[in-house]
Amino acid sequence: AARTATTSPGKRVVLMADSLGVGAGSTGGLSYFNIAKRIAGSAVVSEASINASVAGQTTAQILDRYVVEVRNREDGAKPDVLVMPAGTNDLIQNVPLSTFAANIRSFHRNCIEDNITLILGTVPPLGTNAGQTVSSTPENRALLSQYNSYIRMYCAKYNIPFIETNGALIVKTGASAGAIDPLYMPAG
């Protein structure tokens, strides 16, 4: 019997993030999701991929949506990959490392159960501009370091790919070292 040739549509990816995934403060479609799709291309990331990000949500709130957005999708589409770069709102709300870590482990367990590749992202720093709604403090910088150390350690231990979101968005040197680079901050 003749077989019909098909081309690979790429992986069906679901992004579950906070405002980083939505692109809060950006213009021209510069959300994390749209940039990743554009860089990877449709051979890697299917056009059927879904941005299930919600601005302002903590990892616990995102985890609460997992069953509806991933496991039991209304459209029946099973994702191949779940990308979860989140934690900024946990940081703002001073969620303890133990709770943040438990949420990461739950995402991992869910993905194993559903045979979905998990990709985690480190948490970006908060800004330092006085005009921002939330500015970085010594306390949340220490918590941020704990979150990101945990993500890096957990990913290394379980061979989970991760995106160094924090490292890509911070000022590397000078008086503002460790703060979010103003290039990535919304104007105004």
Side-chain angles (χ1 to χ4, degrees):
R3 294 205 297 169
T4 305
T6 59
T7 57
S8 172
K11 300 284 186 186
R12 183 183 305 260
V13 175
V14 171
L15 175 70
M16 295 189 80
D18 47 30
S19 59
L20 182 68
V22 174
S26 69
T27 58
L30 292 178
S31 72
Y32 193 102
F33 183 72
N34 290 339
I35 291 169
K37 278 179 60 175
R38 188 171 49 227
I39 290 170
S42 62
V44 176
V45 177
S46 166
E47 288 302 317
S49 294
I50 299 154
N51 187 353
S53 301
V54 177
Q57 287 198 329
T58 63
T59 55
Q61 292 168 315
I62 296 168
L63 183 59
D64 285 345
R65 293 188 296 109
Y66 179 91
V67 170
V68 172
E69 299 284 350
V70 179
R71 184 171 287 159
N72 298 327
R73 291 193 54 77
E74 191 174 290
D75 62 9
K78 181 184 178 289
D80 302 300
V81 178
L82 170 71
V83 180
M84 210 284 295
T88 301
N89 297 301
D90 297 68
L91 185 63
I92 292 167
Q93 295 179 25
N94 293 309
V95 171
L97 175 62
S98 59
T99 303
F100 176 80
N103 294 336
I104 297 299
R105 290 190 305 272
S106 292
F107 271 106
H108 187 206
R109 276 192 305 277
N110 285 342
C111 287
I112 290 170
E113 289 171 12
D114 295 331
N115 197 30
I116 296 170
T117 300
L118 174 64
I119 300 174
L120 294 171
T122 55
V123 182
L126 296 174
T128 56
N129 299 337
Q132 290 177 234
T133 305
V134 179
S135 290
S136 181
T137 66
E139 293 78 19
N140 61 31
R141 282 193 296 272
L143 190 56
L144 174 67
S145 177
Q146 293 172 18
Y147 285 1
N148 286 335
S149 292
Y150 181 80
I151 289 171
R152 292 178 189 111
M153 177 279 307
Y154 191 82
C155 288
K157 181 175 181 178
Y158 293 103
N159 200 29
I160 297 171
F162 78 96
I163 303 159
E164 185 54 67
T165 312
N166 182 279
L169 298 179
I170 63 170
V171 174
K172 309 295 189 272
T173 61
S176 296
I180 193 162
D181 191 321
L183 176 65
Y184 303 108
M185 293 303 301

